[in-house]
Amino acid sequence: MHESARPALSVVIPAYNEAGNLATSLAELAGFVTQLGVGSEVVVVDDGSTDGTADVVRSHRDAWPETSALRLISHTRNRGKGAAIRSGMLSVQGDHAVFTDADLAYGTAHIADLLRALQTGADVAVGCREHHRGFVRRATGFLYRNLVRRTRLVRVRDPQCGLKAFRAGVAGLVFGLATVDDFAFDVEVLVIAAEQGFEIVEVPVRMRDPESDTGHTHGTSVHLVSDTVRMLRSLRRIGLNRRSGLYVVPAPTPRARRIVPSAAASVPDTAPHASGPEAGDDPE
């Protein structure tokens, strides 16, 4: 894609030691952005990997679709998923920005679903999982959802689904105010979006079946005890930040604060279906 062309879509992929998954995911994303038929970019944020994750991204550049761009951002050390996504989302150039996991746990069809929600007026589209894959994911999902629910910080049903989409101006504002590097970052960005009065919609999504998706290694990097303690601390900090007014900046035009339930996610088909000081763009 010509450097002066503004892409319609940016896809951000946080990656920590994901060389194996990225080899498959980037090939799938190349097919998706080609079928999409609009200018796009895929931004991979290497969060201090030690397994050649960055090399995999570089190896895909020569064969990348001409209507798209593949960019690499590298952290010199592992800083956390929240920090990786923040680096990527603050660098995007697209009209719409999506982040998803390196194993494409939700496939690419749901990226199109979230885009349709944005195209019909939403500011933020949040995936809402119909089921959690694997015992650890189910256990941590249940625990974290209940922790978040008790804080009353957000009203969405599945705040930590790893698939979210933002209008570009919204992404810049929200992630510019975000501070959390760990797994509570999802909660923080939703709190910021709500405090700014942005419209948030929930879109039903399904996770892939690991048995049929043989090209990826599906798992979780969550450590139940240590990450739960860390999350409790982060949730407390998010609550303090909200009460202190740190998540609000003046807006030229007030927006109505509204969360649209999942049922409202059925929208007209306007997109195709397809199955930090230490961060910087890779110079190559």
Side-chain angles (χ1 to χ4, degrees), residues 151 153 231-241 243:
T151 66
L153 288 170
M231 186 171 188
L232 286 169
R233 292 172 179 167
S234 294
L235 291 175
R236 181 176 181 274
R237 192 173 89 203
I238 293 168
L240 290 172
N241 288 347
R243 289 192 294 273

mmCIF file of all heavy atoms in Angstrom, residues 151 153 231-241 243:
data_model
loop_
_atom_site.group_PDB
_atom_site.id
_atom_site.type_symbol
_atom_site.label_atom_id
_atom_site.label_comp_id
_atom_site.label_asym_id
_atom_site.label_seq_id
_atom_site.Cartn_x
_atom_site.Cartn_y
_atom_site.Cartn_z
ATOM 1 N N THR A 151 -16.899 -4.748 41.055
ATOM 2 C CA THR A 151 -16.411 -3.365 41.106
ATOM 3 C C THR A 151 -17.402 -2.385 40.488
ATOM 4 O O THR A 151 -17.309 -1.186 40.738
ATOM 5 C CB THR A 151 -15.081 -3.235 40.351
ATOM 6 O OG1 THR A 151 -15.291 -3.466 38.950
ATOM 7 C CG2 THR A 151 -14.041 -4.204 40.898
ATOM 8 N N LEU A 153 -17.421 -1.344 37.569
ATOM 9 C CA LEU A 153 -16.693 -0.406 36.718
ATOM 10 C C LEU A 153 -17.252 -0.366 35.307
ATOM 11 O O LEU A 153 -17.268 0.693 34.669
ATOM 12 C CB LEU A 153 -15.206 -0.792 36.676
ATOM 13 C CG LEU A 153 -14.392 -0.523 37.943
ATOM 14 C CD1 LEU A 153 -13.018 -1.187 37.843
ATOM 15 C CD2 LEU A 153 -14.237 0.975 38.166
ATOM 16 N N MET A 231 -4.472 -8.325 39.005
ATOM 17 C CA MET A 231 -5.687 -7.731 38.479
ATOM 18 C C MET A 231 -6.470 -6.994 39.556
ATOM 19 O O MET A 231 -7.016 -5.917 39.315
ATOM 20 C CB MET A 231 -6.567 -8.805 37.840
ATOM 21 C CG MET A 231 -7.790 -8.215 37.145
ATOM 22 S SD MET A 231 -8.669 -9.434 36.173
ATOM 23 C CE MET A 231 -9.844 -8.385 35.352
ATOM 24 N N LEU A 232 -6.525 -7.563 40.760
ATOM 25 C CA LEU A 232 -7.211 -6.887 41.853
ATOM 26 C C LEU A 232 -6.581 -5.518 42.122
ATOM 27 O O LEU A 232 -7.292 -4.522 42.342
ATOM 28 C CB LEU A 232 -7.162 -7.751 43.113
ATOM 29 C CG LEU A 232 -8.085 -8.971 43.124
ATOM 30 C CD1 LEU A 232 -7.752 -9.880 44.301
ATOM 31 C CD2 LEU A 232 -9.545 -8.529 43.186
ATOM 32 N N ARG A 233 -5.256 -5.465 42.094
ATOM 33 C CA ARG A 233 -4.575 -4.184 42.293
ATOM 34 C C ARG A 233 -4.905 -3.208 41.169
ATOM 35 O O ARG A 233 -5.156 -2.019 41.406
ATOM 36 C CB ARG A 233 -3.069 -4.407 42.374
ATOM 37 C CG ARG A 233 -2.610 -5.156 43.618
ATOM 38 C CD ARG A 233 -1.132 -5.497 43.517
ATOM 39 N NE ARG A 233 -0.652 -6.201 44.712
ATOM 40 C CZ ARG A 233 0.504 -6.826 44.785
ATOM 41 N NH1 ARG A 233 1.323 -6.843 43.732
ATOM 42 N NH2 ARG A 233 0.865 -7.442 45.903
ATOM 43 N N SER A 234 -4.912 -3.715 39.937
ATOM 44 C CA SER A 234 -5.195 -2.841 38.800
ATOM 45 C C SER A 234 -6.635 -2.343 38.832
ATOM 46 O O SER A 234 -6.898 -1.175 38.514
ATOM 47 C CB SER A 234 -4.917 -3.584 37.487
ATOM 48 O OG SER A 234 -3.543 -3.869 37.348
ATOM 49 N N LEU A 235 -7.585 -3.210 39.188
ATOM 50 C CA LEU A 235 -8.980 -2.778 39.268
ATOM 51 C C LEU A 235 -9.156 -1.676 40.309
ATOM 52 O O LEU A 235 -9.908 -0.719 40.103
ATOM 53 C CB LEU A 235 -9.876 -3.973 39.599
ATOM 54 C CG LEU A 235 -10.027 -5.026 38.501
ATOM 55 C CD1 LEU A 235 -10.850 -6.201 39.013
ATOM 56 C CD2 LEU A 235 -10.663 -4.428 37.249
ATOM 57 N N ARG A 236 -8.432 -1.806 41.414
ATOM 58 C CA ARG A 236 -8.499 -0.771 42.440
ATOM 59 C C ARG A 236 -7.958 0.550 41.893
ATOM 60 O O ARG A 236 -8.534 1.618 42.108
ATOM 61 C CB ARG A 236 -7.720 -1.198 43.686
ATOM 62 C CG ARG A 236 -7.766 -0.186 44.822
ATOM 63 C CD ARG A 236 -7.062 -0.735 46.060
ATOM 64 N NE ARG A 236 -7.128 0.209 47.166
ATOM 65 C CZ ARG A 236 -6.257 1.191 47.351
ATOM 66 N NH1 ARG A 236 -5.246 1.359 46.503
ATOM 67 N NH2 ARG A 236 -6.383 2.016 48.373
ATOM 68 N N ARG A 237 -6.838 0.461 41.151
ATOM 69 C CA ARG A 237 -6.249 1.671 40.591
ATOM 70 C C ARG A 237 -7.169 2.305 39.547
ATOM 71 O O ARG A 237 -7.295 3.530 39.473
ATOM 72 C CB ARG A 237 -4.900 1.339 39.945
ATOM 73 C CG ARG A 237 -4.083 2.571 39.583
ATOM 74 C CD ARG A 237 -2.709 2.170 39.113
ATOM 75 N NE ARG A 237 -2.693 1.946 37.674
ATOM 76 C CZ ARG A 237 -1.804 1.198 37.041
ATOM 77 N NH1 ARG A 237 -0.882 0.555 37.736
ATOM 78 N NH2 ARG A 237 -1.824 1.076 35.732
ATOM 79 N N ILE A 238 -7.825 1.462 38.734
ATOM 80 C CA ILE A 238 -8.751 1.975 37.732
ATOM 81 C C ILE A 238 -9.899 2.721 38.409
ATOM 82 O O ILE A 238 -10.305 3.810 37.976
ATOM 83 C CB ILE A 238 -9.289 0.826 36.858
ATOM 84 C CG1 ILE A 238 -8.158 0.245 36.007
ATOM 85 C CG2 ILE A 238 -10.433 1.298 35.962
ATOM 86 C CD1 ILE A 238 -8.500 -1.066 35.336
ATOM 87 N N GLY A 239 -10.427 2.140 39.495
ATOM 88 C CA GLY A 239 -11.493 2.816 40.229
ATOM 89 C C GLY A 239 -11.055 4.157 40.788
ATOM 90 O O GLY A 239 -11.786 5.149 40.718
ATOM 91 N N LEU A 240 -9.844 4.204 41.334
ATOM 92 C CA LEU A 240 -9.324 5.469 41.864
ATOM 93 C C LEU A 240 -9.129 6.494 40.750
ATOM 94 O O LEU A 240 -9.451 7.679 40.918
ATOM 95 C CB LEU A 240 -7.998 5.218 42.591
ATOM 96 C CG LEU A 240 -8.078 4.441 43.910
ATOM 97 C CD1 LEU A 240 -6.670 4.104 44.411
ATOM 98 C CD2 LEU A 240 -8.833 5.250 44.966
ATOM 99 N N ASN A 241 -8.609 6.043 39.614
ATOM 100 C CA ASN A 241 -8.408 6.949 38.487
ATOM 101 C C ASN A 241 -9.726 7.526 37.990
ATOM 102 O O ASN A 241 -9.821 8.719 37.661
ATOM 103 C CB ASN A 241 -7.698 6.223 37.336
ATOM 104 C CG ASN A 241 -6.244 5.954 37.622
ATOM 105 O OD1 ASN A 241 -5.671 6.493 38.567
ATOM 106 N ND2 ASN A 241 -5.627 5.105 36.817
ATOM 107 N N ARG A 243 -12.542 7.894 39.722
ATOM 108 C CA ARG A 243 -13.084 8.838 40.705
ATOM 109 C C ARG A 243 -12.303 10.144 40.720
ATOM 110 O O ARG A 243 -12.852 11.205 41.056
ATOM 111 C CB ARG A 243 -13.086 8.198 42.098
ATOM 112 C CG ARG A 243 -14.120 7.084 42.249
ATOM 113 C CD ARG A 243 -14.290 6.670 43.694
ATOM 114 N NE ARG A 243 -13.105 6.036 44.250
ATOM 115 C CZ ARG A 243 -12.853 4.728 44.149
ATOM 116 N NH1 ARG A 243 -13.678 3.941 43.480
ATOM 117 N NH2 ARG A 243 -11.771 4.215 44.687
#
